[in-house]
Amino acid sequence: DQQVKQNSPSLSVQEGRISILNCDYTNSMFDYFLWYKKYPAEGPTFLISISSIKDKNEDGRFTVFLNKSAKHLSLHIVPSQPGDSAVYFCAASEVNRDDKIIFGKGTRLHILP
Amino acid sequence: DVKVTQSSRYLVKRTGEKVFLECVQDMDHENMFWYRQDPGLGLRLIYFSYDVKMKEKGDIPEGYSVSREKKERFSLILESASTNQTSMYLCASSLLPRTGGTEAFFGQGTRLTVV
């Protein structure tokens, strides 16, 4: 059973507008969440993370929101830029259990000119 | 900068061959991971290790084994390669969260084709 779900395989956004990528999880014991960005033929690179004790974390153009009651998190990118076109993976971990990091299937973001 | 290096970018192997994928990290990280990435399936955890000689199965360990004899090196072994193991393999490392670690750092990936 998939513990981390990214239900949108792809998303297209106009350059300069806001991109919102969504992620749901089923394991209420997850206490740390991460977003990664991946270009073709490269390894994923870390973008931003959030601990379950927070509901928002911001880093430049990237903001992650966490809604624990809904078991939902989202990544906001504003303004969207052409270099943001990539696959974005949501990931989660139980840091006090086994440090295993579970990834979603990814969402491909296309930034349109 | 953290560096995670995978020994090969591209590999082509024959069905039934024993295949070794090597990964080395230079940041003294305790945790190391092997994932595979397939279209529509995302990143799936094969095995991870939180210390030398320690290993834990991930979600899809069947057909794979691992070895961690030194802290910096984590090897993925395909005992008898099959065509359904054709995939992109990604190695990652991280500090234990208990020691201040958070995110995992990935290597560049190995594209393995089994023919």
Side-chain angles (χ1 to χ4, degrees):
Chain A
D1 189 30
Q2 213 184 340
Q3 297 188 69
V4 178
K5 300 179 184 180
Q6 294 177 258
N7 292 319
S8 299
S10 67
L11 175 68
S12 295
V13 174
Q14 207 77 35
E15 182 180 352
R17 309 291 280 267
I18 183 170
S19 296
I20 300 176
L21 297 105
N22 292 303
C23 178
D24 298 292
Y25 60 96
T26 57
N27 184 351
S28 58
M29 300 303 291
F30 284 144
D31 50 15
Y32 200 80
F33 304 90
L34 311 96
W35 283 95
Y36 282 81
K37 174 180 178 179
K38 187 181 184 298
Y39 295 118
E42 293 183 14
T45 54
F46 171 75
L47 264 182
I48 192 168
S49 61
I50 188 166
S51 163
S52 60
I53 62 173
K54 294 186 175 182
D55 54 18
K56 177 182 173 181
N57 188 26
E58 193 171 349
D59 183 2
R61 295 187 299 115
F62 302 93
T63 303
V64 56
F65 295 92
L66 175 63
N67 182 334
K68 287 187 291 292
S69 59
K71 296 195 186 72
H72 177 84
L73 61 154
S74 60
L75 175 68
H76 293 213
I77 307 172
V78 55
S80 300
Q81 297 176 355
D84 296 331
S85 294
V87 177
Y88 289 79
F89 289 99
C90 172
S93 177
E94 286 182 60
V95 297
N96 292 316
R97 183 169 177 258
D98 60 10
D99 307 326
K100 198 163 64 171
I101 305 175
I102 304 297
F103 285 79
K105 291 185 178 182
T107 297
R108 182 174 297 280
L109 176 64
H110 299 270
I111 302 302
L112 306 170
Chain B
D1 272 356
V2 175
K3 193 153 184 176
V4 180
T5 304
Q6 294 182 229
S7 53
S8 305
R9 289 295 300 268
Y10 301 94
L11 273 180
V12 180
K13 296 291 182 181
R14 294 191 180 279
T15 302
E17 271 193 82
K18 190 168 186 175
V19 181
F20 293 86
L21 302 183
E22 307 287 347
C23 175
V24 176
Q25 51 98 358
D26 65 359
M27 285 302 292
D28 203 34
H29 285 172
E30 292 92 349
N31 286 336
M32 295 190 76
F33 308 83
W34 276 106
Y35 292 86
R36 62 179 280 179
Q37 183 195 5
D38 300 288
L41 297 176
L43 295 173
R44 294 181 294 166
L45 182 64
I46 305 171
Y47 268 97
F48 74 106
S49 167
Y50 53 88
D51 202 351
V52 174
K53 296 193 187 295
M54 305 303 290
K55 61 184 180 185
E56 294 278 345
K57 291 180 180 179
D59 298 319
I60 50 164
E62 297 79 19
Y64 303 95
S65 61
V66 290
S67 171
R68 187 135 182 233
E69 296 296 319
K70 294 184 178 181
K71 192 174 185 180
E72 67 270 19
R73 187 179 295 270
F74 192 35
S75 303
L76 180 69
I77 303 152
L78 287 67
E79 296 290 341
S80 177
S82 63
T83 53
N84 64 11
Q85 292 179 309
T86 291
S87 186
M88 167 73 89
Y89 289 87
L90 292 157
C91 174
S93 74
S94 72
L95 285 168
L96 288 173
R98 292 183 286 283
T99 59
T102 52
E103 68 271 19
F105 298 87
F106 281 84
Q108 77 278 26
T110 297
R111 169 74 62 188
L112 173 67
T113 303
V114 182
V115 298

